[in-house]
PDB file of all heavy atoms in Angstrom:
ATOM      1  N   ASN A 196       4.026   3.670  -1.577  1.00 89.00           N
ATOM      2  CA  ASN A 196       4.189   3.073  -0.265  1.00 89.00           C
ATOM      3  C   ASN A 196       4.585   4.210   0.673  1.00 89.00           C
ATOM      4  O   ASN A 196       5.746   4.351   1.036  1.00 89.00           O
ATOM      5  CB  ASN A 196       5.249   1.968  -0.286  1.00 89.00           C
ATOM      6  CG  ASN A 196       5.392   1.313   1.073  1.00 89.00           C
ATOM      7  OD1 ASN A 196       4.499   1.370   1.906  1.00 89.00           O
ATOM      8  ND2 ASN A 196       6.528   0.694   1.304  1.00 89.00           N
ATOM      9  N   TYR A 285       7.021  -3.497  12.771  1.00 96.00           N
ATOM     10  CA  TYR A 285       7.788  -4.645  12.289  1.00 96.00           C
ATOM     11  C   TYR A 285       7.470  -4.911  10.819  1.00 96.00           C
ATOM     12  O   TYR A 285       7.352  -6.038  10.389  1.00 96.00           O
ATOM     13  CB  TYR A 285       7.431  -5.856  13.170  1.00 96.00           C
ATOM     14  CG  TYR A 285       8.364  -7.026  13.072  1.00 96.00           C
ATOM     15  CD1 TYR A 285       9.693  -6.922  13.442  1.00 96.00           C
ATOM     16  CD2 TYR A 285       7.893  -8.255  12.635  1.00 96.00           C
ATOM     17  CE1 TYR A 285      10.540  -8.017  13.372  1.00 96.00           C
ATOM     18  CE2 TYR A 285       8.734  -9.362  12.565  1.00 96.00           C
ATOM     19  CZ  TYR A 285      10.056  -9.226  12.929  1.00 96.00           C
ATOM     20  OH  TYR A 285      10.886 -10.306  12.867  1.00 96.00           O
ATOM     21  N   TYR A 286       7.323  -3.855  10.034  1.00 92.00           N
ATOM     22  CA  TYR A 286       6.960  -3.970   8.625  1.00 92.00           C
ATOM     23  C   TYR A 286       8.080  -4.654   7.847  1.00 92.00           C
ATOM     24  O   TYR A 286       9.231  -4.228   7.892  1.00 92.00           O
ATOM     25  CB  TYR A 286       6.678  -2.578   8.046  1.00 92.00           C
ATOM     26  CG  TYR A 286       6.221  -2.582   6.614  1.00 92.00           C
ATOM     27  CD1 TYR A 286       4.934  -2.986   6.276  1.00 92.00           C
ATOM     28  CD2 TYR A 286       7.065  -2.172   5.601  1.00 92.00           C
ATOM     29  CE1 TYR A 286       4.498  -2.987   4.963  1.00 92.00           C
ATOM     30  CE2 TYR A 286       6.638  -2.158   4.274  1.00 92.00           C
ATOM     31  CZ  TYR A 286       5.358  -2.572   3.968  1.00 92.00           C
ATOM     32  OH  TYR A 286       4.935  -2.571   2.667  1.00 92.00           O
ATOM     33  N   LYS A 287       7.724  -5.733   7.134  1.00 92.00           N
ATOM     34  CA  LYS A 287       8.689  -6.546   6.382  1.00 92.00           C
ATOM     35  C   LYS A 287       9.888  -6.933   7.247  1.00 92.00           C
ATOM     36  O   LYS A 287      11.034  -6.921   6.802  1.00 92.00           O
ATOM     37  CB  LYS A 287       9.128  -5.831   5.105  1.00 92.00           C
ATOM     38  CG  LYS A 287       8.011  -5.701   4.099  1.00 92.00           C
ATOM     39  CD  LYS A 287       8.504  -5.162   2.781  1.00 92.00           C
ATOM     40  CE  LYS A 287       7.365  -5.129   1.781  1.00 92.00           C
ATOM     41  NZ  LYS A 287       7.794  -4.619   0.483  1.00 92.00           N
ATOM     42  N   ARG A 288       9.625  -7.228   8.503  1.00 90.00           N
ATOM     43  CA  ARG A 288      10.623  -7.654   9.502  1.00 90.00           C
ATOM     44  C   ARG A 288      11.667  -6.577   9.804  1.00 90.00           C
ATOM     45  O   ARG A 288      12.743  -6.878  10.324  1.00 90.00           O
ATOM     46  CB  ARG A 288      11.287  -8.953   9.091  1.00 90.00           C
ATOM     47  CG  ARG A 288      10.298 -10.089   9.031  1.00 90.00           C
ATOM     48  CD  ARG A 288      10.971 -11.403   8.822  1.00 90.00           C
ATOM     49  NE  ARG A 288       9.966 -12.449   8.913  1.00 90.00           N
ATOM     50  CZ  ARG A 288      10.047 -13.579   8.270  1.00 90.00           C
ATOM     51  NH1 ARG A 288      11.073 -13.838   7.513  1.00 90.00           N
ATOM     52  NH2 ARG A 288       9.102 -14.477   8.403  1.00 90.00           N
ATOM     53  N   ASP A 289      11.355  -5.344   9.482  1.00 92.00           N
ATOM     54  CA  ASP A 289      12.234  -4.220   9.800  1.00 92.00           C
ATOM     55  C   ASP A 289      11.745  -3.634  11.127  1.00 92.00           C
ATOM     56  O   ASP A 289      10.642  -3.094  11.206  1.00 92.00           O
ATOM     57  CB  ASP A 289      12.177  -3.169   8.685  1.00 92.00           C
ATOM     58  CG  ASP A 289      13.155  -2.038   8.897  1.00 92.00           C
ATOM     59  OD1 ASP A 289      14.124  -2.207   9.662  1.00 92.00           O
ATOM     60  OD2 ASP A 289      12.947  -0.968   8.289  1.00 92.00           O
ATOM     61  N   THR A 309       2.066  -3.472  10.806  1.00 98.00           N
ATOM     62  CA  THR A 309       2.594  -4.703  11.387  1.00 98.00           C
ATOM     63  C   THR A 309       3.245  -4.336  12.714  1.00 98.00           C
ATOM     64  O   THR A 309       4.141  -3.495  12.765  1.00 98.00           O
ATOM     65  CB  THR A 309       3.630  -5.372  10.468  1.00 98.00           C
ATOM     66  OG1 THR A 309       3.041  -5.588   9.182  1.00 98.00           O
ATOM     67  CG2 THR A 309       4.086  -6.705  11.043  1.00 98.00           C
TER      68      THR A 309
END
Side-chain angles (χ1 to χ4, degrees):
N196 182 21
Y285 195 63
Y286 183 74
K287 293 188 177 180
R288 297 188 174 150
D289 185 20
T309 305

